[in-house]
Amino acid sequence: MRAARLIKMVLLLQSRPAMTAAELARELEVSERTVTRDAQALSEAGVPVYAERGRAGGYRLVGGYRTRLTGLARGEAEALFLSGVPGALREMGLEDAASAARLKVSAALLPSLRDAPRTAAQRFHLDAPGWFQEPRTPELLPVVAEAVWDDRRVLARYRRGEGDVERELEPYGLVLKAGVWYLCARVVEPGTGARTYRIDRFTDVRTLEERFVRDEDFDLPGYWAEQAERFARSILRAEVVVRLSEAGVRRLPYTVDPVAARDALAQAGEADGQGWVTVALRVESEEVAHTQLTALGPEAEVLSPASLRRRFAEDAARLSGLYRG
């Protein structure tokens, strides 16, 4: 534990001109007294750590000293590629590995480039969850993530309907979609392929000793894109016919399911004399269509089904009564 901390201290000092005891204590998550003892230990071991006293004082390495302890471990190298999603790293239990990797990369950079990680962090940040949603980290996510990285089979129990189902899985990859974590995995049963599971529905996950041989042709982004579109289409079980103004056409993809909007507009006919376009739109249900199409206001006219058209006519009458005069 202390050896790793001493190495981290050297890398921190190597990546910056100087650091105060308070800064080092904060980075190393120890007390300032521990920082003083560690600096003394490094000095006794031959690492030229120099302490400057006074208000502007601190610690620095003398004479351009550079350690050769900058080689990345495999786990650190893998975590480094995810360093742009700090929340996801933290939830998967990889924050420490990513931090060590960033330090080693910073230490290996030329002095003129050492501010690159800071300037990049100031200019780009990924916030994965959707608006107005409280993200929740599934309790079993770190266990699943470790199995994914290690190519180990897992025995998973998950909620389905009113009961639990147990499956032996080969966990291929994790996907974070709008703040929800999913596992893409192959079921260890004859005749079954890859499936997608919401990790917050797992009630128990046990990592097995047996490793699986990963199919190198498996394309996680491609698989997810295909599954996401298939899922979107599977829940669109009803159809409504709508007339749209030019503004309605522009706003439709932001109001209803994007896949449904794309299909409807691609199959639409020519605009009528008023510039309106009639589309057949797949929706989840009449109730959902009512909620979604209400957002288009007077830029959309529902033609069918008749029951939905009556609901909008009633809405229009109520609005007219509210705003009359």
Side-chain angles (χ1 to χ4, degrees), residues 34-228:
T34 299
V35 168
T36 302
R37 288 198 296 264
D38 286 352
Q40 181 65 31
L42 287 171
S43 182
E44 292 173 358
V47 178
V49 178
Y50 178 69
E52 295 178 325
R53 300 187 180 278
R55 293 181 62 185
Y59 294 90
R60 62 183 177 87
L61 294 176
V62 179
Y65 176 86
R66 297 185 65 79
T67 176
R68 295 182 180 274
L69 298 171
T70 53
L72 290 178
R74 180 176 181 85
E76 294 169 348
E78 291 170 336
L80 185 61
F81 286 97
L82 294 171
S83 58
V85 281
L89 280 168
R90 183 172 56 254
E91 293 175 5
M92 288 189 291
L94 297 173
E95 189 173 29
D96 289 343
S99 176
R102 286 193 295 269
L103 270 176
K104 291 180 179 181
V105 170
S106 296
L109 292 173
L110 294 172
S112 61
L113 300 176
R114 287 196 188 140
D115 66 339
R118 181 180 60 83
T119 56
Q122 290 175 336
R123 289 162 174 80
F124 177 77
H125 174 69
L126 176 63
D127 184 11
W131 287 104
F132 315 117
Q133 296 180 14
E134 186 66 31
R136 296 180 181 177
T137 303
E139 183 179 345
L140 294 170
L141 176 61
V143 178
V144 177
E146 185 176 355
V148 169
W149 285 112
D150 210 22
D151 290 342
R152 286 190 183 274
R153 289 182 175 179
V154 297
L155 191 62
R157 182 177 291 275
Y158 64 96
R159 295 189 301 274
R160 191 172 73 179
E162 297 181 356
D164 281 6
V165 177
E166 189 173 79
R167 291 284 186 272
E168 186 174 339
L169 305 174
E170 296 178 347
Y172 266 69
L174 292 166
V175 175
L176 178 59
K177 170 70 172 179
V180 180
W181 284 95
Y182 296 87
L183 173 67
C184 302
R186 292 189 186 276
V187 183
V188 185
E189 289 180 6
T192 57
R195 295 180 182 176
T196 304
Y197 301 88
R198 276 185 62 142
I199 294 181
D200 58 7
R201 291 179 181 166
F202 285 139
T203 57
D204 185 59
V205 176
R206 182 159 56 90
T207 304
L208 305 178
E209 290 297 323
E210 184 179 359
R211 283 188 167 88
F212 65 91
V213 179
R214 179 176 288 269
D215 180 0
E216 296 301 328
D217 293 330
F218 180 78
D219 174 24
L220 180 60
Y223 168 81
W224 177 258
E226 180 182 332
Q227 292 298 307

